[in-house]
Amino acid sequence: MSTARQSYEDLIAHLTRTTSLGPGEAARVVAEVVAYFSESTEEYVRRRHGEMKAQGLTNERIFPGIAAELSARRVAAPELSLRQLRRIVYG
């Protein structure tokens, strides 16, 4: 049994009762959500920058957007300036 499955058995059972997901699918969804919220701030900024760049957005729109997203995350990241965000992406 995977770690996510052991740790979140009650959540997996809830998802199988309240959705059309089977136990294996529910376990994968839980693992994905846990991984998503386990990203460090730096990992999140880099990932979102790449996603937004792929959508054709410029840095002038990307960095303020990322700053706004960070403040709305479930576990809010510390407030970072636009310069700090750029340094995470570009070093």
Side-chain angles (χ1 to χ4, degrees):
M1 191 175 276
S2 72
T3 303
R5 193 171 188 123
Q6 291 172 351
S7 300
Y8 300 101
E9 196 63 44
D10 58 331
L11 177 56
I12 294 166
H14 173 74
L15 289 173
T16 58
R17 278 193 313 274
T18 60
T19 69
S20 61
L21 296 175
E25 294 167 316
R28 282 191 299 278
V29 168
V30 168
E32 283 294 321
V33 170
V34 168
Y36 177 83
F37 285 113
S38 296
E39 273 185 316
S40 70
T41 300
E42 290 80 7
E43 291 167 332
Y44 180 82
V45 169
R46 287 186 191 105
R47 178 177 61 78
R48 286 298 292 143
H49 181 267
E51 292 170 353
M52 294 169 104
K53 202 70 160 157
Q55 294 172 0
L57 298 176
T58 63
N59 283 342
E60 289 179 352
R61 292 193 55 202
I62 291 172
F63 290 115
I66 291 173
E69 289 177 7
L70 285 173
S71 67
R73 296 225 351 133
R74 181 74 174 110
V75 178
E79 189 171 323
L80 300 173
S81 69
L82 300 181
R83 182 178 180 176
Q84 289 172 308
L85 293 171
R86 284 185 184 93
R87 292 193 93 177
I88 288 172
V89 173
Y90 295 113

